[in-house]
Amino acid sequence: MTEPKRATIYDVARTAGVSKSLVSLVLRNSPNVSPARRQAVLEAIEQLNYRPSHAAASLAGGSSRTVGVVIDDYTNLWFVELLRGLQDGLSAAGLRIAVSDRTLNAHIASDPLDGFLSTRVEALVLATEPTESMRIPANMPVVVAGNRAMKIPGADVVASDDRAGARQATEHLLSLGHRRIGHLTGGGGASQQRREGYEQAMRAAGLEALVIAPGSATTEETGYRGTQELLTRFPNTTAILAGNDSMAMGALAAARERDLQVPGELSVVGYDASPLAATHLLQLTTVDSLNSEIGAEVAAALLSRLADPAREPVSVRLAPRLIQRRTTAAPGRR
Amino acid sequence: MTEPKRATIYDVARTAGVSKSLVSLVLRNSPNVSPARRQAVLEAIEQLNYRPSHAAASLAGGSSRTVGVVIDDYTNLWFVELLRGLQDGLSAAGLRIAVSDRTLNAHIASDPLDGFLSTRVEALVLATEPTESMRIPANMPVVVAGNRAMKIPGADVVASDDRAGARQATEHLLSLGHRRIGHLTGGGGASQQRREGYEQAMRAAGLEALVIAPGSATTEETGYRGTQELLTRFPNTTAILAGNDSMAMGALAAARERDLQVPGELSVVGYDASPLAATHLLQLTTVDSLNSEIGAEVAAALLSRLADPAREPVSVRLAPRLIQRRTTAAPGRR
DNA sequence: CTGAAAGCGCTTACAG
DNA sequence: CTGAAAGCGCTTACAG
């Protein structure tokens, strides 16, 4: 038995006994179709196992109905909740999401944007630090997710207030009685703002800021190395605010290596409320940057921008909140 | 200044002073093009910022040059290395990858396959447990990555030998002197084979298998709960082989909660060699299932299948190897 | 609602 | 290599 060729819209029309135009209307959920005919078309689609061709629809309609999302690296899981919120907000509008990971693409020396431009994505979501090398077409709608060092002219920005979150986390440690609180920072706009929030809170309390910058990556590895350096230079540190949850995990490792009880002898706070922070092993006090809500707001910004390309860029800022778990307590004897 | 319309292949041809056909040849890297003309075309492309339309190329060429990869869940990071190996193997052949996450899609009640079928993907890679509800077209090339409970007729399978890996890990614990070794298992084909490998090794050593199945998920949570159950039912257990690294992380959490030193009082072995296992905090002894190599073999199977759709299905099995880190040692006093 | 027509931006095959 | 032609499977706009 030879494989039949894939069914086209003509086959569906013939099977349903309607015109090709009517099938197209049903596919795009037009209201001006009688229930009976709609039913006939849907049955024909089911029977023929028909799937409309993206390529043809995109080419003919002049619109791919796809939004490109650029993320940093699959390993840093903050994007998962962002995608969930984004997908929820876009699927009702019939828009789909394509994800591109910069780390993976760097490997094969291909610009993730090239693929998206060939796909003719309707808009771009940047959930990563933009770089000069990203040549974004002037008329491309862009929403930046998260705080970034580089500004994209005309782009909307949706982020939680990293300065306020870091301030809140630092004040939590201060209120527990800590005075020697170190901070682990990294590269990028979010790190910068978190650092500023930490410094503001320390200054307001009349305390010295102890900032360690172990590198631009904000990973378990840099968190580990940064904590080693912090505890070597300032041995009487009693608390650490890490730049994100991955760095906090490294801090916990360094503490264990020095036989420092957490939180008895060293308190540790993360940032992002990633799945990692919620594990039984970490039970990490962290700042929830509301990633799923950021995704929802990104979707809203996207839809309104698509509806009105000329509207002024907006900047949405969400208020983060501290999640207290088991890695923070009053300072012990040290 | 109004935005110019996107450049098309006609614009490139005109700018380069060549025919449209020649531009198409350059785009598809044909060898029958003189260097001078190729250069002229590439300059025109650069100057016009031209990006060929996927949709048009796919429709006209009758081929999307895209492979669809279905993964379980972004949170389980074993897929990252798989994608890397896969991408390396496919990019030279001009094939790109589209990834779909089942967990995310379940959320909006859309079958990930539907999207891929509309995209007219050339082939499917299943890096997840297949289900009956996946209606895969009969003529679609499929490669299954990893050991799965359900067989797909005609599909190639690339996996590491989970039975051998689990056996190796168990023998490692036996050779350290452990006799009471528990195993944490979950759902799916990989879990099943790992369990069998563990049971074989225990039987061969004349020991009783202690298997705990805390649920079908293989997460930190089930690892934690499974270890609680194991240590309650068999309090003198001295070692645990977890179904994967996430479960091992949960085991470490449960051990800490009971004040059991790892590895002094309890040895723990993971599986997958995920990024998690390599962290300073875990330093987990684990089995490397060679995910990047699996990705490379999947790519090879895909290319040969595309070249010869009629060839017999193959089954590639890689030999995993144990990575010893800091969570295993000889049993202590208990 | 139908039906005929044009067109989206490419690839393919072919005569020259 | 060029150039003219057909066609991929849809959407769109329109006359009826």
Side-chain angles (χ1 to χ4, degrees):
Chain A
M1 150 186 142
T2 52
E3 280 307 329
K5 281 195 68 72
R6 291 201 63 88
T8 72
I9 199 170
Y10 288 96
D11 303 315
V12 175
R14 198 176 329 107
T15 303
V18 302
S19 73
K20 183 162 77 68
S21 307
L22 206 247
V23 176
S24 183
L25 289 174
V26 171
L27 286 179
R28 283 167 301 112
N29 258 317
S30 162
N32 325 321
V33 179
S34 71
R37 289 183 201 265
R38 178 186 302 279
Q39 183 60 24
V41 169
L42 292 177
E43 275 167 15
I45 286 174
E46 174 69 19
Q47 180 190 332
L48 297 172
N49 213 3
Y50 170 73
R51 293 287 182 294
S53 157
H54 267 358
S58 171
L59 189 58
S63 136
S64 64
R65 312 251 47 171
T66 301
V67 170
V69 182
V70 186
I71 66 172
D72 234 44
D73 177 359
Y74 283 127
T75 309
N76 185 342
L77 289 175
W78 83 273
F79 78 91
V80 176
E81 286 302 312
L82 177 90
L83 279 192
R84 197 182 305 283
L86 186 59
Q87 182 135 302
D88 279 359
L90 295 182
S91 63
L95 291 167
R96 50 186 160 268
I97 288 175
V99 177
S100 187
D101 164 273
R102 295 182 66 195
T103 310
L104 211 55
N105 278 280
H107 205 226
I108 57 167
S110 104
D111 186 339
L113 285 192
D114 275 351
F116 284 157
L117 294 179
S118 272
T119 303
R120 305 288 189 260
V121 293
E122 318 257 304
L124 236 34
V125 175
L126 299 183
T128 180
E129 193 66 52
T131 61
E132 300 292 349
S133 69
M134 287 186 180
R135 309 208 23 81
I136 300 172
N139 51 344
M140 174 73 76
V142 176
V143 182
V144 175
N147 289 301
R148 307 298 167 191
M150 202 182 114
K151 295 299 165 218
I152 306 279
D156 300 316
V157 178
V158 180
S160 77
D161 188 338
D162 283 323
R163 238 179 246 106
R167 220 184 299 122
Q168 223 176 308
T170 309
E171 284 162 0
H172 165 61
L173 292 169
L174 289 168
S175 75
L176 287 171
H178 292 278
R179 320 306 288 163
R180 292 176 306 276
I181 305 170
H183 177 56
L184 270 27
T185 190
S191 291
Q192 174 63 27
Q193 296 201 8
R194 290 170 191 182
R195 173 186 180 153
E196 289 168 13
Y198 157 81
E199 288 172 339
Q200 281 172 13
M202 292 298 274
R203 201 178 313 121
L207 296 172
E208 186 194 0
L210 312 175
V211 176
I212 304 286
S216 93
T218 51
T219 58
E220 207 253 356
E221 171 67 25
T222 56
Y224 173 79
R225 289 209 318 265
T227 302
Q228 298 279 35
E229 181 183 341
L230 178 71
L231 294 178
T232 300
R233 286 175 52 191
F234 310 103
N236 53 3
T237 301
T238 64
I240 294 178
L241 173 61
N244 68 4
D245 291 337
S246 298
M247 294 187 90
M249 187 178 181
L252 294 176
R256 193 189 52 189
E257 202 166 296
R258 297 195 171 217
D259 272 324
L260 291 176
Q261 291 297 317
V262 174
E265 297 171 284
L266 185 71
S267 285
V268 175
V269 181
Y271 208 117
D272 276 349
S274 74
L276 201 55
T279 57
H280 289 97
L281 190 62
L282 300 208
Q283 295 184 67
L284 186 66
T285 295
T286 187
V287 181
D288 187 352
S289 40
L290 307 170
N291 295 318
S292 145
E293 285 153 65
I294 288 180
E297 292 289 342
V298 169
L302 232 36
L303 294 177
S304 84
R305 161 80 51 201
L306 259 19
D308 175 14
R311 81 152 160 70
E312 288 297 301
V314 298
S315 177
V316 178
R317 191 160 298 276
L318 306 180
R321 47 175 251 284
L322 189 75
I323 299 178
Q324 288 187 44
R325 285 200 271 245
R326 309 261 302 257
T327 55
T328 48
R333 65 252 157 256
R334 285 194 57 209
Chain B
M1 150 187 143
T2 53
E3 281 307 330
K5 281 195 68 73
R6 292 200 63 87
T8 71
I9 199 170
Y10 289 96
D11 303 316
V12 175
R14 199 177 327 110
T15 303
V18 301
S19 72
K20 183 163 76 71
S21 307
L22 205 248
V23 175
S24 182
L25 290 174
V26 171
L27 285 179
R28 281 167 301 111
N29 260 318
S30 164
N32 328 319
V33 178
S34 71
R37 289 183 201 264
R38 179 187 301 277
Q39 183 61 25
V41 169
L42 293 177
E43 274 168 15
I45 286 174
E46 173 71 19
Q47 181 191 330
L48 296 171
N49 211 5
Y50 170 74
R51 294 289 181 295
S53 158
H54 267 357
S58 170
L59 189 57
S63 135
S64 64
R65 311 250 50 171
T66 302
V67 171
V69 182
V70 186
I71 66 171
D72 234 45
D73 177 359
Y74 282 128
T75 308
N76 186 340
L77 290 174
W78 82 273
F79 79 92
V80 176
E81 286 303 312
L82 176 89
L83 280 191
R84 197 182 306 281
L86 187 58
Q87 182 136 300
D88 279 358
L90 295 183
S91 64
L95 291 167
R96 53 186 157 270
I97 287 175
V99 177
S100 188
D101 163 273
R102 295 182 66 195
T103 310
L104 212 55
N105 278 280
H107 205 226
I108 57 166
S110 104
D111 187 339
L113 285 192
D114 276 350
F116 285 157
L117 294 179
S118 271
T119 302
R120 305 288 189 259
V121 294
E122 319 257 305
L124 236 33
V125 175
L126 299 182
T128 180
E129 193 66 52
T131 62
E132 300 292 348
S133 69
M134 286 186 180
R135 307 206 27 79
I136 300 171
N139 50 343
M140 173 74 75
V142 176
V143 183
V144 175
N147 289 302
R148 307 300 168 189
M150 203 181 113
K151 297 296 165 221
I152 307 277
D156 299 317
V157 178
V158 180
S160 78
D161 189 339
D162 284 323
R163 239 179 244 108
R167 220 185 299 123
Q168 223 176 307
T170 308
E171 284 161 0
H172 165 61
L173 292 169
L174 289 168
S175 75
L176 286 171
H178 293 277
R179 318 308 286 165
R180 291 177 305 276
I181 304 169
H183 177 57
L184 271 23
T185 190
S191 291
Q192 174 63 28
Q193 296 200 7
R194 289 170 191 182
R195 174 187 179 152
E196 288 168 14
Y198 157 80
E199 287 172 340
Q200 282 172 12
M202 292 298 275
R203 201 179 312 122
L207 296 171
E208 185 193 2
L210 312 175
V211 176
I212 305 286
S216 93
T218 51
T219 59
E220 206 253 355
E221 171 66 25
T222 56
Y224 172 78
R225 288 210 316 265
T227 302
Q228 298 281 34
E229 182 184 339
L230 179 71
L231 295 178
T232 300
R233 285 175 51 191
F234 309 103
N236 52 2
T237 302
T238 64
I240 295 178
L241 171 61
N244 68 4
D245 290 338
S246 297
M247 293 186 90
M249 187 179 184
L252 294 176
R256 192 189 52 189
E257 203 166 296
R258 297 193 173 217
D259 271 324
L260 292 176
Q261 292 297 318
V262 173
E265 298 170 283
L266 185 72
S267 284
V268 175
V269 181
Y271 207 115
D272 277 349
S274 74
L276 201 55
T279 57
H280 290 97
L281 189 62
L282 300 208
Q283 295 185 70
L284 186 67
T285 295
T286 187
V287 180
D288 188 352
S289 39
L290 308 170
N291 296 317
S292 144
E293 285 153 66
I294 288 180
E297 291 289 342
V298 169
L302 233 34
L303 294 177
S304 84
R305 161 80 50 202
L306 259 19
D308 174 15
R311 81 149 160 72
E312 288 296 301
V314 298
S315 177
V316 178
R317 191 159 299 273
L318 305 180
R321 50 177 249 284
L322 189 76
I323 300 177
Q324 287 186 43
R325 286 200 269 246
R326 308 261 301 259
T327 55
T328 47
R333 66 255 155 255
R334 285 195 59 211

